[in-house]
Amino acid sequence: MIRHMKSLIENAAKGKRMSLAVAAAEDKDVLLAVKAAIKSDLISAQLFGDETAIRRIAAEIELDLQQISIIPCDDFSISARKAVQAVSDRRADFLMKGLLDTSILLKEVLDKDFGLRTDRLLSHVMIYEPAAYHKFLLLTDGGMNITPSLDQKQMIITNAVEVAKALEISPVKVACVTAKEKVSEKMTATVDAAALKEMQKQGVFGDGVVIEGPIALDLAVSKEACRIKGFESPVGGDADILLVPTIEVGNGIGKTLTYMAQAPSAGIIMGAKVPVVLVSRADSAESKLYSIALGSVIAAKMR
């Protein structure tokens, strides 16, 4: 099991170097992350975007462009389209968002002509390394799906489990986070959580997956809380994945981990034929590097 960001980078460096296509690469932190990823022998890179700006930033951060392909693009839409085409044509193994808005990139990812669409829902998965927790904590979906239905939650779990298995987590323990542990018809999240737990028992998610729900956040991550409340579950205090009921809950938990707990993190979009590295403009170059490493590990598994 990969438990730390350092181990994630080391694991990504063990295999074949994956080729990364960066859409709208004219961003200093993105290029700093690309530089670090190349130095760590994780990737080769193709940069799509404003060539003048890319070369100016590269000179500023001392990024050697001799072994990097730059594909000039006149605007963000063209940059996104050409980067996605490179992945679709298998000239690149995975994709990364640069300076452009997420919606511009995802529009091209979802274009049926490029072949990156699948029958699965796109969802966002974050991994965190909180100092107060004993392993990675995966969080989904605090970035894309606003109020997912039961069927959508099933697909969100499937996507997150794929990430967990790429991190060599086994079994994968999923906590369907709610405000209470009892099912209440007045609280849809508890009803859905119980249904997802039943699906797992029926084998919907395959082998090596354990789902608990409804379960409050404290019980998902704290053995002591489980002891005090008399809550018994293999997921209790040992969750790998937190499935949240709405985007607001996921966004709040994620930003709390980032800004209050200062937990290193990495983010990825799953559900397409390749992983899409999605990072916030506010993320540090270090966080972007971890996201590239995560994307590289998942892309290698998909290959």
Side-chain angles (χ1 to χ4, degrees):
M1 180 190 300
I2 302 173
R3 293 175 179 266
H4 306 288
M5 293 298 178
K6 181 179 178 181
S7 299
L8 176 64
I9 291 175
E10 291 172 350
N11 191 279
K14 286 179 182 178
K16 177 185 175 183
R17 283 194 306 164
M18 295 287 103
S19 176
L20 173 64
V22 184
E26 56 271 26
D27 178 274
K28 183 175 180 179
D29 282 336
V30 167
L31 291 181
L32 280 169
V34 168
K35 177 183 176 181
I38 291 172
K39 184 177 180 180
S40 298
D41 205 29
L42 304 186
I43 60 164
S44 59
Q46 300 175 45
L47 307 180
F48 298 78
D50 183 332
E51 181 175 9
T52 300
I54 290 171
R55 290 190 180 279
R56 174 179 54 77
I57 296 169
E60 180 184 339
I61 65 173
E62 298 182 340
L63 169 61
D64 185 356
L65 294 174
Q66 288 189 352
Q67 302 300 318
I68 296 176
S69 299
I70 300 178
I71 298 84
C73 301
D74 293 335
D75 58 42
F76 287 162
S77 294
I78 294 173
S79 175
R81 177 168 289 260
K82 287 188 175 183
V84 170
Q85 282 180 326
V87 177
S88 180
D89 296 341
R90 298 179 73 89
R91 288 179 283 116
D93 298 301
F94 65 120
L95 191 63
M96 182 176 184
K97 170 184 173 294
L99 193 60
L100 75 176
D101 290 338
T102 302
S103 59
I104 296 174
L105 182 60
L106 292 186
K107 178 184 176 183
E108 303 302 332
V109 169
L110 292 172
D111 190 316
K112 61 182 180 181
D113 292 335
F114 296 135
L116 295 186
R117 292 189 73 154
T118 69
D119 58 357
R120 286 161 57 177
L121 179 75
L122 293 186
S123 61
H124 191 230
V125 183
M126 288 292 297
I127 68 170
Y128 293 92
E129 187 184 341
Y133 204 56
H134 54 287
K135 57 182 176 179
F136 278 148
L137 191 60
L138 282 67
L139 177 68
T140 193
D141 178 354
M144 292 192 67
N145 295 285
I146 298 171
T147 309
S149 65
L150 176 60
D151 287 344
Q152 289 174 324
K153 288 175 182 176
Q154 177 187 336
M155 289 185 278
I156 289 169
I157 289 176
T158 297
N159 287 343
V161 166
E162 186 170 9
V163 176
K165 289 188 174 180
L167 296 172
E168 302 173 359
I169 296 171
S170 181
V172 181
K173 299 179 181 181
V174 183
C176 300
V177 176
T178 59
K180 58 188 293 185
E181 290 72 57
K182 293 183 179 180
V183 176
S184 170
E185 294 296 330
K186 295 181 180 180
M187 301 175 72
T188 303
T190 64
V191 177
D192 288 353
L196 292 164
K197 182 177 180 178
E198 185 60 30
M199 287 182 194
Q200 178 258 305
K201 291 179 179 178
Q202 295 172 0
V204 171
F205 298 100
D207 296 333
V209 179
V210 181
I211 293 180
E212 184 59 77
I215 181 173
L217 178 61
D218 58 342
L219 299 179
V221 298
S222 171
K223 290 284 189 184
E224 181 64 9
C226 291
R227 184 190 66 78
I228 292 170
K229 294 185 178 181
F231 185 83
E232 295 184 5
S233 167
V235 178
D238 197 38
D240 297 299
I241 298 172
L242 301 179
L243 172 75
V244 296
T246 66
I247 195 170
E248 291 88 359
V249 176
N251 186 275
I253 293 174
K255 287 183 176 175
T256 299
L257 287 168
T258 296
Y259 290 101
M260 303 300 290
Q262 298 184 344
S265 64
I268 205 86
I269 292 177
M270 298 294 292
K273 289 185 178 179
V274 300
V276 180
V277 178
L278 179 68
V279 291
S280 167
R281 293 180 187 178
D283 287 344
S284 66
E286 181 182 52
S287 180
K288 289 179 171 71
L289 170 61
Y290 296 147
S291 295
I292 290 173
L294 177 62
S296 178
V297 168
I298 296 170
K301 293 285 185 181
M302 286 183 168
R303 283 293 186 215

